[in-house]
């Protein structure tokens, strides 16, 4: 009884959830791995990033990185939080005898009051961090403007498995499209990212992902006479499906259980469309480029770094749906340009395969900090 009262007092002092404190106190680590990578529990982008980094490094250096989904009581470790949101939730009660790293993929104060509050808390925590990993030059410049020291920022893109995601021949593409009931006359546009709030139906749009812009683009393409079909994957797509029904546009929603099934989804596409207002990657950008699917994107995340207009993709100057629609129509009308983009995108994405990205993590961050543990 006295212990519970004592812990409640601790809770009040540091303003943390009681269950979280109990969990933290109970878990003690005797792991041999010097690097602990903490991901979110949900099977989505942040978890995929952690798995790919740890698997690639451990392939060459066994038992170097351990991936888990909740912090524990670690001593003398290098601890990498895959999400800045998890880090902000935990940093006040973490032991100080570790080196801490955080991945900050996206977020700006203009995104809303809650995001601004989160960013302010994050900026208060940077004195406890050895490195902040960013995936794009946009976020790097943003952090610098917020006063984050350059020496703490490490720009390492999100990677892609180029052994798995690769182009296919026209015959195989036709077979895949037939499997999904797609005719030759259909213009198939893909959107494989989560754009609804929460992990349920997703009927409330997550506006930073731009599902409203996406619908406007699709509607305009339809009004211009194109037989558009939208190919969706991922969770929480309720809003976009509801809006597609309103404008009477066919859609396919294939929520795969195994990420390996995703390649066939890409091979069914004519184009991949990113209409986000804010991004860290997205992973669909690199996967599309590696799969031989031309990308049309708003100026967000890694699109700004990887897409050279009319060379490795199409990127809009703003978030106007009319401009984005014109970029798609330009590619539809110019098969030669489309082929040039596919070819150059494959060369570009070769620089961000996981083997290179994990090596950057090891050489630039993990290895120097692990040496300091000795």
């Amino acid at each position: 009884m006295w212990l519970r009262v004592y812990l409640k007092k601790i809770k009040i002092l540091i303003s943390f959830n009681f269950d979280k404190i109990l969990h933290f106190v109970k878990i003690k680590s005797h792991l041999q791995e010097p690097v602990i990578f903490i991901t979110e529990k949900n099977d989505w982008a942040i978890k995929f990033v952690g798995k790919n980094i740890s698997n690639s490094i451990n392939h060459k250096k066994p038992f170097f990185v351990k991936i888990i989904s909740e912090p524990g009581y670690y001593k003398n470790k290098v601890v990498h939080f895959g999400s800045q949101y998890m880090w902000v939730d935990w940093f006040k009660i973490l032991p100080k005898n570790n080196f801490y790293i955080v991945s900050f993929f996206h977020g700006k104060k203009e995104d809303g009051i809650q995001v601004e509050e989160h960013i302010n808390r994050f900026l208060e925590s940077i004195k406890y961090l050895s490195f902040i990993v960013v995936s794009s030059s946009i976020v790097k410049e943003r952090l610098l403007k917020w006063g984050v020291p350059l020496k703490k920022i490490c720009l390492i893109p999100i990677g892609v498995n180029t052994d798995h995601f690769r182009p296919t021949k026209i015959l195989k593409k036709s077979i895949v499209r037939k499997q999904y009931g797609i005719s030759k006359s259909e213009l198939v546009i893909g959107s494989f990212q989560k754009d609804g709030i929460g992990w349920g139906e997703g009927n409330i749009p997550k506006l930073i992902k731009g599902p409203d812009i996406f619908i406007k683009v699709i509607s305009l393409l339809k009004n211009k006479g194109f037989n558009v079909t939208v190919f969706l994957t991922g969770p929480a797509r309720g809003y976009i499906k509801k809006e597609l029904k309103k404008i009477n546009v066919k859609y396919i929603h294939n929520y795969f259980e195994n990420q390996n099934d995703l390649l066939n989804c890409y091979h069914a596409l004519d184009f991949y469309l990113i209409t986000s207002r804010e991004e860290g990657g997205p992973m669909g950008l690199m996967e599309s480029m590696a799969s031989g699917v031309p990308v049309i994107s708003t100026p967000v995340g890694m699109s700004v770094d990887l897409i050279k207009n009319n060379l490795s993709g199409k990127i809009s100057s703003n978030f106007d749906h009319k401009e984005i629609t014109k970029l798609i129509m330009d590619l539809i009308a110019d098969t030669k340009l489309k082929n040039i983009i596919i070819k150059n995108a494959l060369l570009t994405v070769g620089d961000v395969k996981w083997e290179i990205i994990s090596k950057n993590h090891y050489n630039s961050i993990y290895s120097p900090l692990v040496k300091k543990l000795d």
Side-chain angles (χ1 to χ4, degrees), residues 301-315:
M302 287 175 56
S303 294
V304 174
D305 299 323
L306 295 186
I307 295 180
K308 306 300 180 189
N309 231 345
N310 295 321
L311 189 63
S312 54
K314 285 274 194 178
I315 189 164

Side-chain angles (χ1 to χ4, degrees), residues 242-291:
K242 180 179 65 177
E243 295 301 315
L244 288 171
K245 287 178 183 176
K246 284 182 181 179
I247 60 174
N248 198 27
V249 168
K250 174 184 172 182
Y251 70 83
I252 300 165
H253 186 201
N254 184 27
Y255 193 10
F256 55 90
E257 293 184 2
N258 189 328
Q259 198 187 18
N260 291 334
D261 298 334
L262 187 55
L263 182 59
N264 271 350
C265 300
Y266 281 110
H267 287 165
L269 306 182
D270 292 301
F271 303 105
Y272 190 86
L273 178 58
I274 300 167
T275 57
S276 301
R277 296 176 172 90
E278 178 72 11
E279 275 295 347
M283 295 186 78
L285 165 68
M286 293 75 74
E287 291 169 354
S288 295
M289 294 173 81
S291 301

Side-chain angles (χ1 to χ4, degrees), residues 15 31 54 103 128 143 161 175 186 188-189 198 205 247 262-263 327 364:
S15 299
L31 300 173
S54 60
S103 291
Y128 301 109
L143 291 182
N161 184 348
I175 293 172
E186 292 174 58
V188 185
I189 295 179
I247 60 174
L262 187 55
L263 182 59
L327 295 180
S364 301

Side-chain angles (χ1 to χ4, degrees), residues 318-357:
N318 54 49
F319 302 91
D320 178 59
H321 71 282
K322 292 180 181 178
E323 180 184 345
I324 298 166
T325 304
K326 185 179 185 305
L327 295 180
I328 297 173
M329 292 175 63
D330 288 345
L331 270 183
I332 294 171
D334 194 337
T335 304
K336 184 178 179 181
L337 177 60
K338 180 180 177 180
N339 291 333
I340 289 172
I341 284 174
I342 291 172
K343 181 179 178 181
N344 285 304
L346 288 171
L347 295 173
T348 299
V349 84
D351 292 333
V352 294
K353 56 186 179 181
W354 280 119
E355 181 182 356
I356 294 173
I357 298 308

Side-chain angles (χ1 to χ4, degrees), residues 77-283:
K77 299 285 186 183
V78 175
V79 183
H80 185 166
F81 278 78
S83 160
Q84 79 264 21
Y85 288 92
M86 290 185 70
W87 161 255
V88 166
D89 283 345
W90 285 92
F91 81 91
K92 288 185 179 180
I93 59 172
L94 294 171
K96 300 300 184 286
N97 53 0
N98 297 306
F99 291 112
Y100 292 104
I101 305 158
V102 170
S103 291
F104 191 111
F105 289 126
H106 63 80
K108 56 183 185 296
K109 296 181 179 182
E110 296 82 0
D111 291 336
I113 295 175
Q114 289 184 331
V115 178
E116 183 177 5
E117 290 175 352
H118 161 75
I119 290 171
N120 289 335
R121 288 176 64 198
F122 174 78
L123 293 175
E124 291 172 3
S125 76
I126 61 173
K127 61 185 176 183
Y128 301 109
L129 291 170
S130 297
F131 289 106
I132 301 168
V133 180
V134 298
S135 57
S136 68
S137 57
I138 289 176
V139 175
K140 178 182 178 180
E141 292 304 316
R142 190 178 294 163
L143 291 182
L144 289 172
K145 288 180 181 178
W146 291 342
V148 178
L150 178 60
K151 65 181 180 180
K152 288 198 173 190
I153 303 174
C154 192
L155 174 55
I156 305 178
I158 297 170
V160 64
N161 184 348
T162 54
D163 291 330
H164 176 68
F165 293 100
R166 48 175 51 187
T168 189
K169 295 180 180 179
I170 294 175
L171 178 59
K172 173 67 184 302
K173 194 176 182 75
S174 298
I175 293 172
V176 170
R177 287 168 70 105
K178 189 174 181 180
Q179 289 173 346
Y180 287 113
I182 300 169
S183 67
K184 290 183 180 180
S185 66
E186 292 174 58
L187 174 69
V188 185
I189 295 179
S191 171
F192 294 176
Q193 61 193 72
K194 178 180 178 296
D195 54 14
I197 293 175
W199 292 92
E201 290 297 320
N203 291 321
I204 301 174
K206 193 173 183 179
L207 292 178
I208 63 168
K209 297 298 181 181
D212 54 325
I213 301 173
F214 186 93
I215 291 297
K216 288 179 180 178
V217 171
I218 299 302
S219 180
L220 187 53
L221 283 171
K222 183 189 176 185
N223 290 339
K224 289 183 178 292
F226 293 98
N227 183 18
V228 186
T229 293
V230 174
F231 200 123
L232 306 170
T233 68
R237 308 307 304 266
Y239 168 82
I240 209 162
K241 290 193 291 185
K242 180 179 65 177
E243 295 301 315
L244 288 171
K245 287 178 183 176
K246 284 182 181 179
I247 60 174
N248 198 27
V249 168
K250 174 184 172 182
Y251 70 83
I252 300 165
H253 186 201
N254 184 27
Y255 193 10
F256 55 90
E257 293 184 2
N258 189 328
Q259 198 187 18
N260 291 334
D261 298 334
L262 187 55
L263 182 59
N264 271 350
C265 300
Y266 281 110
H267 287 165
L269 306 182
D270 292 301
F271 303 105
Y272 190 86
L273 178 58
I274 300 167
T275 57
S276 301
R277 296 176 172 90
E278 178 72 11
E279 275 295 347
M283 295 186 78

